[in-house]
Amino acid sequence: RGDKIRIRVKTRFLEGLQPCYEAVPRGSPLAIVGSRGLLEIAVNGGSARTRLGLKLGDAVIVVGSFP
């Protein structure tokens, strides 16, 4: 279950993995497992690069337990 993890991106924490983009309000950031099975940091209806100030190579830290 992805609700047991926290993802740190710069100074922001994202709580758990979301099942779909629409699980958070429009304009809100989220963490989701994409179609290729990789962790994605995204914004519902927007750009994580713009909204969170991310750039290629920024650290993403996953903390918590996995099943």
Side-chain angles (χ1 to χ4, degrees), residues 4 7 25 29 31 33 36 41 45 47 51 60-61 65:
K4 302 279 186 196
I7 297 127
V33 176
R36 291 185 172 188
I41 306 303
S47 164
R51 175 84 161 74
V60 174
I61 300 167
S65 60

Side-chain angles (χ1 to χ4, degrees), residues 21-58:
Y21 289 88
E22 293 79 19
V24 299
R26 190 165 182 78
S28 295
L30 67 138
I32 190 168
V33 176
S35 61
R36 291 185 172 188
L38 301 174
L39 176 66
E40 296 180 10
I41 306 303
V43 170
N44 182 8
S47 164
R49 176 180 286 194
T50 301
R51 175 84 161 74
L52 302 174
L54 299 178
K55 63 183 184 309
L56 189 62
D58 282 344

